[in-house]
Structures are given as C-alpha cells and as structure tokens.
Amino acid sequence: MIAEGDGQLPPLAWRTRFAFMACAMPELIKSFAWDAFVLFYYAQVIGLSGFLLGLALAIILVFDAVADPYIGALSDRMDRAPLGRRHTLMAAAVVPFVVGIAMVFRVPADLGQWQIFAWLLGFGLLARIGISFWTVPAYAMGGELTRDSGERNLVAVMRNMGNQLAILTVPWAAFAWFFVPGGGYSKPQLNPAPYPDFGLFVAAAGGALMIVGLLGTRARMKQVESLDRILAIEKPETLPQLFRRLAAAIRLTPNVGLLLLVALLVLFVNSVVNQLTLHLATYFWQLDGAWTPRLLIAGVCGSIVAMFIAPAWMKLIGTRAAMISGLAVFFLVQAGAVLLPLLGLAPLPATAAIGAFVFLFRVLGGLAYGLYVVPFNTVTYDIGDEHEANTGKPQQGLVASFMFIGLQVGSGLVALFAGSFLGIIDFPAGLPVDQMPQDKVRALAWFVTGLILVAGMAMAWLVGRFDVSAEKQARIRADLARRRADRS
C-alpha cells in the first residue's frame, strides 16, 4: 500500500499513534518526579548538605551530557540489531530505569552524609542514564514513523498530550495517595515515610508504559527500517570521534546548534519552576495542602488546551512565530508568579488568594508552553530531515540527542545551582514554616526570578534565528523521498 504523504508507507494506524504517545510518557514521569521531589527530598527531608547535593547532581549532569549524544549516534547506527535501531536500546532501558528511580526515593535510615551522597549518585545515574536509553531513540522514532508534514504535526500533538498526561498524573497521585496530612508534619512533603512507596509508583508506571510503547510501535518500525536500511555497517565511535561529529553537525547544519541552545534554555526554566516549586510553595507562598498539588498540575491544564489550538495557531502565524509568541508569554508569567509577590503586588502568603493567584499564572504559563512546544517538536523532526539531507544518512537519533542534551543539562544545571545556593545561604532543613527565616526565603525567591529572567533574555535572541521555512522543508522532504526511491 502506498501512503499519500511519504510515498512508501501507509498512514499511521491510531493504535500506533497512541503507542507512540505512551513512548513519550516515561521520560516525563521521571522528569517530573525527579524535578519536583528529588531536590526537596534530599535537601529538606533527608538533610543532605547543599555542597554534597550539588556535587552529586553535577556528576550526574556530566554523565547525562555525555550519554545522550552517544546514545543518539549509536541508535542511528544499530540498523541490524535484533530489535532494530530504536527498539533495541529502548528495550534495554526498562530494568535499569525501574530499579534506579525506585531506589532514589528509598534512602536507608542512619546513613552518613557521604553515604547518602553515594546512594543518590549511584541510583541517580542508573535512573537517568537508563531513561536516556529509552527517550533518545523513542523521540527519534517520532521523526521516522511518518514523513508527512500533517501527520507529523499530529504525532507531535499526541506526544505532547502524553507528556501532559504524565505530568498531570504524577502530582495528582503523589498528593492523593502518598503525601497526605498526618504523621505530625505541618506539610506532608516534609514527612519521609511516603517517599519509598512514591518511588515504587513512579517506577511501575514508567515501566508499564515502556512495555506498551515497545509493543505498539514495533510493527511500524519494522516497516520503516526495512525501507530505510543503512547500507554500510559502521564500527561504534569513540567519544572523541563522537564529539567531533557533533561539532561537525553544528557546522554543517546550524539549526542543530540552535536546537541545542533553545532546548537548554527552555528546559532550564522549566526545571527551575519544577525543582523549586515545593520550596516556594512550602516557605514562600505558604500554600496549604489543597493548593500545593493544584499548583503542580496547573501548567498541565493550560498545556492540554494548547495542544488543541497549537496546529491552527502554527498555520495562522507560522512555525517560528508560534514558538516566539509562546515563549515570550511563558517566561513573563513564570517570572511574574515569583516577582510580583516579592514586590508586594500579590495577595499575602498563606491565604487562599495567593494560591489562586499562582495557580492562574501557572495555567497561563502552561498554555504558552504548549503553544511553543508543539511547533518546537515539529521543528526538531524537520531539522533531523535537514541533517539527513546534508549527510546522506538517517540522523533523527543524533538530532534528538541534542534536544535531550538540553533537557539533561538544563535539569542538571538547575539542580547544581539550586543545591549550591541552598548551601551558600545555609537554608535550614526540616524546619516548620513558621520558624523558617524569611530573609533566606526571600533570597531563594530572588534567585529563582533571576534565573528565569536571564534565560528568557537569551531565548528572545535565539529563537528568531531558526531557518525552518515551510518551503525549505518541502524541498528537503522531496529530496529525501527521491533518495529512498532510488535505494529501493
């Protein structure tokens, strides 16, 4: 059967589309659980010093930054692996991720500072590098399931719907089932008892979705790889060779370098918001038990709405303009949720009004982020096609790795900066809200605001430099279709 869009494959079945949506969810389940809870858990509940916390997260950051491009390049070259170039690595990711993320939240009692450091470092590496073996090839697969531009937009929307569903599920489950009032703690997130069971929930949910995604996309990828087989089997690269190829990719296809920087800055700000929400909700806004989980899912509410209107918005104003407009509002509202209370221009802490105020800002931020991220995912796949046209080889894995370098480095840098900053200002661990020094709380709030504003100003310059016109991408897709036809 011949596809209307790409000339070689039939349109995607809905079961494949939903399976790909499931493929997107484990990374977001991990990222949200990690960003929202790990820093708070180790700093405020376990009491790991800011220096050791920052050091552990910095080491994990370095390994993440090295692993992602290597995984992407390796996946592009594993055409003759038992389960194909994408699914072989994805299948290998399941057990390491499940074990690693479960144990991150299961710190034994009575460990010393360096022992806690080693526990976080070991199981944190297992969880985060394990999920990279899933996420990088899974994301690259999204650019190969279809070459049709309209269907790609739908795939990008469904991927982001999966992301938002994951982000919605984790905080709802966390505060409905695990972090509930009781145990003599003023805020349930200060209670160490629920964290091990929460870790098991995250591990089980992520592992189950991995299996669904593997089974549901396997048939389509067998078709794709049979039509798009790399003719020569190349030896695995050494790390110096890989980094030289990454540098060459940026020179050959400048959009690849821009993709990395944009992903880094946006995901940096997302990580600022996610990783420090529990600190701000507990000590700065002083939200009660009802508003804290609402705040964690507020962005999802806006992003889900955005998923439905993003394709029409892209068609109306263009891909690049859709990215710029979404980002501008995203940065403004994320900074405003912290800056306005600092300036006395918002309701008082510990009131229902401040909960509603921050919730509204987070909803608007989620809406703006959704209007950015759908065109950004489409652009990522288009840049993968552009780099394939420039090199003559499938490059979706390598290009996807650049986005996930941004994800891992952004998250890691925030954790490093935040852990170090908490240590520098000697932010107390485990204190009740009414005993926390307000000068330290305000210092943390100014720190968050500064990170968001600096990243936002850099972003304003970067996004407009993408060269992703519809006419250019149509020429690239036509060229790639001719090459595949010549090889078949």
Side-chain angles (χ1 to χ4, degrees):
M1 184 183 297
I2 300 298
E4 294 180 6
D6 57 25
Q8 298 186 62
L9 290 170
L12 285 174
W14 274 102
R15 63 178 179 276
T16 307
R17 294 170 179 168
F18 281 110
F20 181 69
M21 185 172 76
C23 287
M25 296 173 71
E27 169 66 34
L28 267 292
I29 288 176
K30 181 276 302 177
S31 291
F32 195 87
W34 184 281
D35 287 353
F37 291 97
V38 166
L39 182 67
F40 189 87
Y41 174 53
Y42 279 85
Q44 298 305 120
V45 179
I46 299 299
L48 183 61
S49 75
F51 168 75
L52 291 180
L53 179 56
L55 179 61
L57 296 172
I59 295 172
I60 293 172
L61 158 66
V62 171
F63 275 88
D64 268 345
V66 171
D68 281 352
Y70 195 80
I71 292 166
L74 180 64
S75 180
D76 284 336
R77 294 168 177 234
M78 293 184 66
D79 209 51
R80 302 180 192 278
L83 295 178
R85 62 175 176 255
R86 306 304 178 200
H87 283 129
T88 299
L89 296 181
M90 291 165 65
V94 178
V95 172
F97 165 69
V98 167
V99 173
I101 198 66
M103 299 306 286
V104 160
F105 290 102
R106 190 173 288 270
V107 180
D110 302 322
L111 292 185
Q113 287 284 299
W114 282 101
Q115 292 171 310
I116 299 171
F117 164 84
W119 187 275
L120 172 60
L121 179 62
F123 287 112
L125 281 171
L126 187 64
R128 292 191 60 137
I129 295 180
I131 197 68
S132 292
F133 274 91
W134 172 270
T135 303
V136 174
Y139 191 90
M141 183 174 62
E144 298 175 328
L145 291 172
T146 179
R147 301 284 176 173
D148 177 73
S149 59
E151 198 163 45
R152 269 192 176 174
N153 287 340
L154 178 60
V155 166
V157 169
M158 294 195 68
R159 173 183 175 82
N160 286 288
M161 286 291 289
N163 290 347
Q164 302 311 316
L165 183 60
I167 298 173
L168 180 67
T169 301
V170 174
W172 174 81
F175 285 91
W177 300 341
F178 303 103
F179 302 103
V180 295
Y185 291 86
S186 59
K187 303 289 184 183
Q189 58 266 29
L190 291 170
N191 185 357
Y195 283 92
D197 289 341
F198 173 69
L200 285 177
F201 163 76
V202 173
L209 287 164
M210 287 173 160
I211 293 171
V212 170
L214 277 170
L215 296 177
T217 57
R218 183 69 196 123
R220 178 69 170 200
M221 284 306 295
K222 287 178 69 175
Q223 292 179 304
V224 169
E225 291 176 353
S226 68
L227 293 170
D228 195 20
R229 186 172 295 278
I230 300 172
L231 299 180
I233 301 176
E234 303 178 60
K235 294 180 180 179
E237 293 174 298
T238 64
L239 282 178
Q241 288 172 330
L242 172 61
F243 284 117
R244 283 195 294 270
R245 189 154 74 96
L246 293 176
I250 294 172
R251 289 194 303 270
L252 184 62
T253 310
N255 276 337
V256 171
L258 293 173
L259 175 74
L260 171 61
L261 292 175
V262 169
L264 170 60
L265 289 171
V266 176
L267 295 165
F268 178 87
V269 171
N270 246 353
S271 291
V272 170
V273 173
N274 291 337
Q275 292 190 41
L276 291 168
T277 285
L278 282 184
H279 279 86
L280 295 175
T282 304
Y283 300 113
F284 180 60
W285 298 309
Q286 298 181 25
L287 303 182
D288 62 24
W291 278 112
T292 298
R294 292 175 193 165
L295 188 62
L296 291 171
I297 66 172
V300 182
C301 299
S303 291
I304 288 175
V305 174
M307 296 303 108
F308 292 100
I309 64 177
W313 184 240
M314 291 166 59
K315 186 175 180 180
L316 178 65
I317 69 172
T319 300
R320 187 165 61 183
M323 291 171 62
I324 294 172
S325 61
L327 283 172
V329 177
F330 171 73
F331 279 97
L332 286 173
V333 298
Q334 297 295 4
V338 184
L339 182 59
L340 292 177
L342 274 171
L343 298 177
L345 301 175
L348 294 175
T351 62
I354 189 64
F357 173 86
V358 180
F359 179 84
L360 176 61
F361 270 65
R362 288 288 179 88
V363 170
L364 292 175
L367 176 64
Y369 184 77
L371 292 177
Y372 145 77
V373 80
V374 171
F376 179 77
N377 282 336
T378 300
V379 164
T380 301
Y381 297 142
D382 289 343
I383 292 172
D385 284 347
E386 180 184 358
H387 197 49
E388 179 178 348
N390 289 341
T391 61
K393 299 176 183 178
Q395 298 287 333
Q396 290 290 351
L398 181 70
V399 172
S401 74
F402 276 80
M403 194 193 76
F404 287 102
I405 292 172
L407 172 65
Q408 308 290 18
V409 172
S411 175
L413 282 175
V414 171
L416 172 61
F417 292 163
S420 301
F421 186 77
L422 291 172
I424 289 170
I425 67 173
D426 195 23
F427 198 88
L431 282 184
V433 174
D434 57 358
Q435 297 178 25
M436 182 64 69
Q438 284 304 298
D439 59 329
K440 298 185 185 298
V441 174
R442 290 181 64 82
L444 180 62
W446 279 114
F447 172 75
V448 171
T449 304
L451 291 179
I452 294 173
L453 291 177
V454 169
M457 287 185 289
M459 182 65 60
W461 177 77
L462 275 173
V463 174
R465 298 178 63 85
F466 270 118
D467 180 15
V468 288
S469 70
E471 295 80 9
K472 174 184 175 181
Q473 294 310 131
R475 290 195 301 271
I476 289 171
R477 282 193 292 270
D479 179 48
L480 292 177
R482 284 193 298 271
R483 295 185 193 184
R484 292 187 182 93
D486 291 341
R487 289 202 300 263
S488 61

